[in-house]
């Protein structure tokens, strides 16, 4: 046999030989494949989470950028800044809270000037009411002098009553007298500055005999403030598989099921500076605590290592030493509360969307301050063993958190205000890089604080 | 252990849904056959098991791409062959000769001798072939790929494929003869 046919026969012989040839694989091969399939699934999940995190952070960054840009440009678009001064009629009551001006109030030029210098509107109003009486007396004496009417006849008049502003409402005076009286009052209300303590940037001046001109003025110089706050926090965490390690059975789903978040707190102080009318930047120092607790069967989270017992938590492994015994039964329950404290340096922007409401955006530079945990093992007979630990191994010392919040500010005096600021803070990097799972703590908090303006 | 998937289509659909039992069953159905293929394409047992693992990962990852009327065994065979090619391409030692002159010389068929050897012995002989010859011979002579398919998969010309096949046959004949002689001496 030569040529093509012999070659075909040769090939056919091989083909026939291997047609039904099988080699049974070792069991270990399936275990390896299964384990890798599991990891492939987890890696896919991690990729999705990473992608989602990237999308969320990008959106947050984009929104922050847009809001900051809007805030910076708001000065230009603010109609009060560019519009002509608003002209209002005498006696008009502006409806905005803390922005009420009556004709009689404005007429007290000296008092109002005083209020400008002291920045104390309420105090000025009290003085104003006292002065009303004196001015009424003065006008009364002028009236008596000019008209010759008797004092008792003037009792019915109400020249300077804050409720009834018009001095010419009396029926006892002549037109000439009225003119004279009007001159007296007009002198008092001639071109004045009125300081609105709330807005602090409005000018009110006489426009003509019957109206006033209100104009916002641009405040010069920077407002500097300090604020102190405290917040209850509910700390929790997002877990992802660490693709560098094979996922043990006690992994992510187990931690999510067994570990519970705890209510913690954060407290700090900030110093801020006004960059624009609606934009403040602030930074300071914040102490915060991330905490969780669990009670679970010991067998699921422990392993013996060279130094003793190794306990796995979602933040990483902990070396455990028992005070009352050398070992820990697999059947016992292990419970613990783990607190990890941080010092944070926030760098935040407060963007005022209305006069009293603001968005709070920024980052926290986070430094590990300490760890505190209590361990107890309880066997089925109810006997307790206490343990000591050295803290979570290889926990990261530094991290960066993203913070976003919404706040409301209420002025209680000219310089002092109170703040309520619900916010969300999330660590962008994992607590521990060499743990089987990666843990990203986040906290919901309601900050309550006070703010003091220095100028 | 089988879980009762009589229809391969159902089995594939379950695997696509990441059903662990279905995956195990698919593995058990096809693993022995695929491991045999891996051994033929690999030079060593370790290489064969590497190809085997990578191949099954690819199979589970890409099962949804299998066409409706396509034979799963043929599809899986292509996946495992591709994994074998990848391994040797990665090691950069897959150089293919392009010498058409050898095609002129005839190769004596020696199927009688072949029948006297065990499959294991023949597999060892195939494994001892140089990479280039072993792969082309396996693909064409045993697994039924055409020269056109081989040329596309290996990114070589059809002539190169034929040339390597010829060399492989010739080398195998010699090895079979040599093995037979050794056996006779013993």
């Amino acid at each position: 046999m030569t040529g093509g046919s012999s070659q075909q026969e040769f090939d056919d012989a091989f083909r026939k030989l291997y047609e039904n040839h099988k080699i049974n694989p070792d069991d270990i091969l399936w275990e390896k494949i299964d384990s890798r399939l599991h990891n492939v699934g987890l890696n896919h999940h991690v990729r999705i989470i990473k992608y989602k995190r990237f999308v969320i952070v990008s959106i947050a960054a984009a929104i922050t950028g847009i809001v900051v840009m809007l805030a910076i440009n708001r000065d230009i678009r603010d109609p009060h800044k560019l519009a002509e001064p608003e002209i209002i009629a005498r006696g008009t009551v502006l409806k905005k809270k803390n922005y009420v001006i009556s004709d009689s109030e404005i007429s007290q030029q000296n008092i109002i000037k005083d209020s400008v210098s002291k920045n104390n509107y309420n105090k000025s109003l009290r003085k104003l009411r006292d002065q009303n009486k004196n001015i009424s007396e003065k006008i009364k004496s002028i009236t008596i002098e000019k008209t010759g009417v008797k004092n008792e006849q003037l009792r019915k008049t109400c020249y300077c009553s804050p409720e009834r502003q018009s001095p010419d409402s009396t029926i006892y005076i002549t037109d000439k007298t009225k003119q004279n009286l009007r001159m007296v009052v007009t002198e008092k209300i001639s071109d004045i500055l009125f300081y609105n303590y709330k807005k602090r940037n409005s000018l009110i001046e006489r426009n003509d005999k019957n109206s006033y001109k209100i104009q916002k003025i641009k405040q010069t110089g920077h407002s500097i403030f300090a604020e102190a706050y405290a917040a209850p926090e509910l700390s929790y965490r997002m877990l992802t598989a660490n693709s560098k390690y094979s996922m043990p059975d006690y992994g992510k789903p187990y931690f999510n099921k067994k570990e519970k978040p705890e209510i913690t707190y954060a407290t700090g102080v900030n110093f801020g500076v006004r960059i624009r009318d609606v934009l403040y930047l602030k930074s300071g120092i914040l102490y915060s605590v991330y905490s969780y607790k669990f009670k679970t069967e010991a067998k699921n989270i422990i392993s013996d290592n060279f130094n003793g017992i190794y306990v796995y938590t979602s933040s990483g492994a902990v070396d455990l030493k028992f005070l009352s015994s050398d070992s820990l039964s697999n059947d016992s329950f292990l419970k613990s509360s783990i607190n990890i404290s941080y010092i944070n340096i926030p760098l935040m922007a407060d963007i005022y969307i209305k006069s009293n409401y603001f968005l709070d955006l920024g980052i926290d530079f986070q430094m590990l301050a300490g760890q505190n945990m209590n361990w107890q093992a309880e066997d089925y007979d109810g006997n307790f063993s206490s343990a000591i630990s050295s803290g979570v191994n290889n926990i990261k010392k530094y991290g960066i958190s993203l913070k976003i919040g919404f706040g409301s500010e209420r002025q209680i005096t000219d310089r002092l205000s109170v703040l309520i600021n619900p916010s969300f803070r999330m660590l962008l990097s994992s607590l521990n890089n060499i743990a089987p799972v990666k843990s990203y703590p986040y906290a919901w908090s309601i900050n309550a604080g006070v703010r003091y303006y220095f100028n | 252990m089988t879980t009762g998937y009589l229809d391969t289509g159902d089995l594939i659909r379950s695997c696509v849904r990441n059903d662990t039992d279905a995956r195990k069953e698919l593995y058990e159905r096809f693993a022995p056959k695929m491991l045999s293929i891996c051994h033929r394409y690999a030079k060593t047992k370790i290489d064969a098991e590497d190809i085997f693992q990578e191949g099954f990962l690819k199979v589970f990852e890409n099962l949804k791409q299998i066409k409706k009327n396509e034979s799963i065994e043929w599809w899986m065979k292509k996946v495992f062959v591709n994994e074998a090619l990848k391994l040797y391409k990665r090691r950069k030692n897959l150089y293919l000769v392009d010498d058409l002159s050898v095609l002129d010389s005839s190769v004596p068929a020696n199927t009688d001798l072949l029948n006297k050897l065990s499959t294991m012995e023949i597999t060892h002989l195939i494994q001892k072939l140089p990479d280039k010859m072993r792969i082309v011979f396996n693909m064409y002579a045993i697994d039924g790929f055409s020269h056109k398919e081989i040329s596309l998969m290996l990114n070589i010309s059809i002539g190169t494929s034929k040339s390597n096949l010829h060399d492989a046959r010739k080398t195998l004949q010699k090895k079979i003869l040599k093995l037979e002689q050794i056996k006779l001496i013993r």
Side-chain angles (χ1 to χ4, degrees):
Chain A
M1 276 182 296
T2 57
S5 62
S6 66
Q7 289 172 7
Q8 186 63 44
E9 277 179 32
F10 187 74
D11 292 352
D12 286 346
F14 275 91
R15 195 170 294 154
K16 196 177 173 186
L17 190 68
Y18 285 105
E19 199 169 18
N20 294 310
H21 184 245
K22 292 175 180 175
I23 300 173
N24 286 324
D26 293 337
D27 289 345
I28 189 76
L29 284 174
W30 169 245
E31 284 169 23
K32 284 179 181 175
I33 291 167
D34 192 37
S35 163
R36 288 182 63 187
L37 280 171
H38 188 56
N39 281 338
V40 166
L42 290 170
N43 289 342
H44 178 66
H45 188 58
V46 168
R47 277 199 300 276
I48 288 173
I49 287 174
K50 279 183 178 172
Y51 173 75
K52 280 182 182 172
R53 215 150 48 96
F54 174 76
V55 169
I56 289 167
V57 170
S58 301
I59 290 170
I63 291 171
T64 307
I66 290 166
V67 172
V68 169
M69 286 305 295
L70 286 174
I72 288 169
N73 292 327
R74 192 174 159 181
D75 284 347
I76 299 165
R77 295 207 309 274
D78 191 336
H80 293 291
K81 284 284 160 64
L82 290 182
E84 288 298 312
E86 189 180 0
I87 308 297
I88 60 164
R90 280 176 64 186
T92 300
V93 176
L94 299 180
K95 287 179 181 174
K96 283 184 184 173
K97 198 177 177 184
N98 298 319
Y99 207 76
V100 179
I101 320 160
S102 71
D103 205 18
S104 63
E105 287 165 356
I106 292 171
S107 71
Q108 310 308 312
Q109 184 180 2
N110 293 330
I111 303 303
I112 289 161
K113 278 184 175 174
D114 187 43
S115 79
V116 173
S117 63
K118 290 183 180 176
N119 291 334
N120 192 331
Y121 181 71
N122 288 327
K123 202 172 170 183
S124 299
L125 277 181
R126 281 196 296 276
K127 283 185 181 177
L128 180 70
R129 290 190 189 101
D130 293 338
Q131 289 291 325
N132 267 346
K133 199 174 171 183
N134 298 332
I135 291 167
S136 292
E137 288 299 320
K138 192 176 177 183
I139 291 174
K140 195 190 291 180
S141 69
I142 293 169
T143 307
I144 291 167
E145 184 190 328
K146 298 279 183 187
T147 62
V149 296
K150 291 179 181 177
N151 188 34
E152 55 270 23
Q153 289 177 304
L154 287 170
R155 277 182 204 156
K156 293 177 184 174
T157 64
C158 47
Y159 294 124
C160 289
S161 160
E163 291 78 24
R164 301 178 64 184
Q165 293 88 25
S166 177
D168 53 6
S169 58
T170 175
I171 58 167
Y172 296 103
I173 51 177
T174 62
D175 288 347
K176 190 178 179 183
T177 306
K178 274 197 285 185
Q179 197 174 1
N180 289 335
L181 285 173
R182 197 175 287 126
M183 281 175 66
V184 171
V185 176
T186 304
E187 281 172 12
K188 297 290 179 191
I189 60 174
S190 62
D191 298 337
I192 57 166
L193 289 172
F194 181 83
Y195 183 79
N196 180 300
Y197 88 99
K198 181 65 184 173
K199 286 286 183 185
R200 291 182 300 176
N201 59 356
S202 295
L203 274 177
I204 298 179
E205 56 187 311
R206 183 65 185 255
N207 186 45
D208 57 33
K209 209 161 55 177
N210 295 311
S211 65
Y212 304 101
K213 189 163 71 177
I214 297 180
Q215 185 174 27
K216 277 199 168 187
I217 56 167
K218 193 168 183 176
Q219 196 172 340
T220 55
H222 289 160
S223 292
I224 299 169
F225 67 81
E227 65 182 23
Y229 58 96
E233 286 194 337
L234 182 64
S235 56
Y236 206 62
R237 73 279 183 284
M238 183 176 77
L239 297 180
T240 64
N242 189 341
S243 53
K244 287 181 187 169
Y245 300 89
S246 60
M247 175 62 75
D249 291 338
Y250 52 79
K252 187 167 77 82
Y254 186 85
F255 291 137
N256 273 331
K257 200 174 169 186
K258 295 292 181 184
E259 290 182 354
K260 304 290 177 198
E262 282 203 296
I263 292 177
T264 58
Y265 68 97
T267 183
V269 290
N270 277 332
F271 293 90
V273 62
R274 189 178 72 89
I275 304 299
R276 300 276 175 177
D277 273 0
V278 292
L279 178 64
Y280 287 79
L281 290 184
K282 63 185 183 184
S283 183
I285 189 162
L286 163 73
Y287 178 80
S288 66
V289 180
Y290 164 58
S291 181
Y292 57 97
K293 62 181 177 182
F294 58 86
K295 179 180 179 182
T296 183
E297 300 87 346
K299 63 186 173 190
N300 293 314
I301 56 170
I302 63 166
S303 72
D304 292 329
N305 72 344
F306 186 72
N307 295 318
I309 295 166
Y310 220 42
V311 182
Y312 292 95
T313 80
S314 63
S315 303
V318 180
D319 283 315
L320 213 60
K321 287 177 185 168
F322 278 87
L323 300 175
S324 52
S325 65
D326 294 333
S327 61
L328 174 67
S329 162
N330 273 347
D331 296 328
S332 60
F333 285 95
L334 200 61
K335 62 179 181 179
S336 181
S337 174
I338 294 178
N339 301 293
I340 303 168
S341 51
Y342 288 97
I343 298 289
N344 300 37
I345 308 288
L347 187 58
M348 306 293 299
D350 283 358
I351 298 143
Y352 280 77
I353 46 179
K354 280 193 169 184
S355 60
N356 294 325
Y357 300 100
F358 59 88
L359 283 175
D360 203 20
L361 300 164
I363 52 172
D364 272 7
F365 297 98
Q366 193 165 299
M367 289 170 286
L368 181 68
Q371 297 184 49
N372 177 34
M373 56 190 76
N374 297 304
W375 292 88
Q376 267 199 341
E378 179 188 358
D379 65 23
Y380 277 107
D381 297 328
N383 299 318
F384 286 96
S385 301
S386 292
I388 54 169
S389 65
S390 53
V392 179
N393 295 336
N394 299 303
I395 200 159
K396 276 188 189 170
K397 289 183 178 172
Y398 303 99
I400 294 178
S401 295
L402 179 73
K403 190 176 180 184
I404 184 163
F406 176 76
S408 174
E409 181 182 9
R410 285 283 177 271
Q411 203 97 23
I412 50 175
T413 71
D414 179 42
R415 290 174 184 263
L416 199 64
S417 61
V418 292
L419 305 157
I420 293 287
N421 178 206
S423 68
F424 172 77
R425 192 179 70 245
M426 181 170 186
L427 189 63
L428 295 176
S429 51
S430 70
L431 274 177
N432 196 327
N433 269 344
I434 64 167
V437 293
K438 288 189 172 184
S439 178
Y440 301 87
Y442 58 85
W444 299 97
S445 61
I446 301 177
N447 304 306
V450 290
R451 180 182 286 183
Y452 182 81
Y453 290 94
F454 293 102
N455 62 357
Chain B
M1 185 193 74
T2 58
T3 48
Y5 290 97
L6 296 175
D7 180 33
T8 311
D10 284 346
L11 182 62
I12 293 168
R13 278 188 287 277
S14 298
C15 289
V16 169
R17 288 195 298 269
N18 296 331
D19 183 327
T20 313
D21 292 337
R23 280 176 169 176
K24 184 79 189 291
E25 178 153 342
L26 186 83
Y27 174 83
E28 284 172 349
R29 279 192 197 181
F30 294 99
K33 179 81 183 165
M34 296 304 137
L35 189 57
S36 167
I37 293 171
C38 294
H39 273 277
R40 277 194 284 112
Y41 279 83
K43 212 169 181 61
T44 64
K45 190 185 172 195
I46 295 170
D47 280 359
E49 290 182 350
D50 276 354
I51 296 165
F52 180 74
Q53 286 186 55
E54 296 300 327
F56 261 109
L57 286 173
K58 275 283 176 325
V59 165
F60 288 125
E61 208 174 303
N62 297 296
L63 257 181
K64 57 190 166 197
Q65 292 175 12
I66 194 167
K67 288 169 190 163
K68 203 173 179 182
N69 297 319
E70 195 172 8
S71 155
I72 184 166
E73 189 175 325
W74 174 246
W75 180 80
M76 283 175 74
K77 191 189 274 188
K78 283 199 285 185
V79 171
F80 280 85
V81 170
N82 262 322
E83 283 309 308
L85 296 183
K86 265 190 204 170
L87 180 79
Y88 289 103
K89 277 180 183 171
R90 210 160 45 231
R91 291 182 184 171
K92 294 182 178 176
N93 54 0
L94 183 62
Y95 300 108
L96 297 146
V97 295
D98 195 5
D99 184 4
L100 294 174
S101 61
V102 293
L103 290 175
D104 297 335
S105 60
S106 60
V107 178
N110 216 337
T111 51
D112 293 340
L113 286 178
L114 194 63
N115 292 333
K116 290 176 187 173
L117 300 174
S118 71
T119 314
M120 193 59 77
E121 285 171 323
I122 294 167
T123 305
H124 282 312
L125 292 181
I126 294 172
Q127 283 178 335
K128 281 176 187 168
L129 285 173
D131 292 341
K132 54 194 176 184
M133 294 182 204
R134 186 178 68 253
I135 287 169
V136 174
F137 180 77
N138 269 309
M139 289 179 81
Y140 184 87
I142 304 174
D143 293 320
F145 289 90
S146 67
H147 280 300
K148 192 179 178 186
E149 284 173 314
I150 295 168
S151 70
L152 288 172
M153 288 171 82
L154 295 178
N155 197 24
I156 57 172
S157 68
I158 291 174
T160 305
S161 174
K162 286 179 178 173
S163 170
N164 277 281
L165 176 66
H166 185 271
D167 280 357
R169 283 178 182 143
K170 204 170 157 186
T171 311
L172 270 175
Q173 286 282 6
K174 284 179 187 171
K175 285 180 183 290
I176 290 165
L177 274 171
K178 199 174 174 184
L179 185 63
E180 194 60 27
Q181 283 165 1
I182 292 167
K183 275 190 166 185
L184 285 171
I185 293 166
R186 283 177 183 169

